[in-house]
Amino acid sequence: MQERMGNPALVLPAAMQALNALSQVPAETGLSPKLLELVNLRASQINGCSVCIDGHPRIAKKLGETDERLFAVSAWRDTPYFSDAERAALALTEAVTRVSDRADPVPDEIWDEATRHYDGKSLAALVIAIANINVWNRLNIATRQIAGAWKP
């Protein structure tokens, strides 16, 4: 496969600046960088973004994430490796990423569980993080970016 064009965020530097600024917001609210990488990986798995599936585990490993947890992200419900707060974040990630899969894309039970673990600012930051990785996934997929070219 060959990329169709350079990543639009690289072609348009103002877009890169905006997306990078947006990506800093969740970490600035105190959300764990490791949690954010789990979120990035799970959304990317759902979307089939090979660039992010390749890159985000590399970032997570640099942050001290374990292989067991990275290997299990796609099956987080069925493994003992994640806390209740992480499970709530992963459930929210799946719901927000799959907005067209059901009539009520983010059911109250998923939202309410997230509110049990995250305060208003943290929850807002988590939703922004999920939205941001979905933007990156769509940019990479639409332009057929090549996995392995980005080495974080």
Side-chain angles (χ1 to χ4, degrees):
M1 184 181 329
Q2 184 175 346
E3 73 179 25
R4 291 178 167 149
M5 67 177 287
N7 188 297
L10 295 174
V11 172
L12 302 171
M16 178 62 91
Q17 185 177 15
L19 289 170
N20 281 337
L22 186 61
S23 73
Q24 296 305 308
V25 172
E28 291 169 358
T29 65
L31 286 178
S32 160
K34 286 170 41 172
L35 171 67
L36 294 171
E37 291 308 320
L38 295 175
V39 164
N40 289 339
L41 178 56
R42 186 63 191 125
S44 300
Q45 289 170 335
I46 292 166
N47 289 324
C49 180
S50 63
V51 171
C52 291
I53 292 169
D54 180 67
H56 285 286
R58 294 174 195 275
I59 297 169
K61 291 282 288 184
K62 289 177 184 175
L63 294 169
E65 191 54 84
T66 66
D67 287 337
E68 290 81 9
R69 285 168 44 96
L70 291 171
F71 297 152
V73 167
S74 64
W76 61 267
R77 287 178 181 83
D78 303 316
T79 64
Y81 304 126
F82 304 99
S83 70
D84 289 343
E86 290 167 331
R87 290 175 187 283
L90 291 167
L92 186 61
T93 299
E94 290 184 358
V96 173
T97 299
R98 295 179 165 161
V99 293
S100 67
D101 287 358
R102 54 181 146 192
D104 184 8
V106 183
D108 288 341
E109 66 190 42
I110 289 173
W111 185 262
D112 293 345
E113 183 64 15
T115 65
R116 288 186 54 234
H117 300 281
Y118 301 98
D119 65 17
K121 283 187 176 185
S122 294
L123 188 54
L126 185 56
V127 172
I128 286 171
I130 296 165
N132 194 40
I133 191 59
N134 274 279
V135 168
W136 280 109
N137 290 166
R138 281 149 178 77
L139 293 173
N140 289 330
I141 292 166
T143 58
R144 292 188 180 155
Q145 298 302 298
I146 307 299
W150 172 52
K151 297 281 190 202

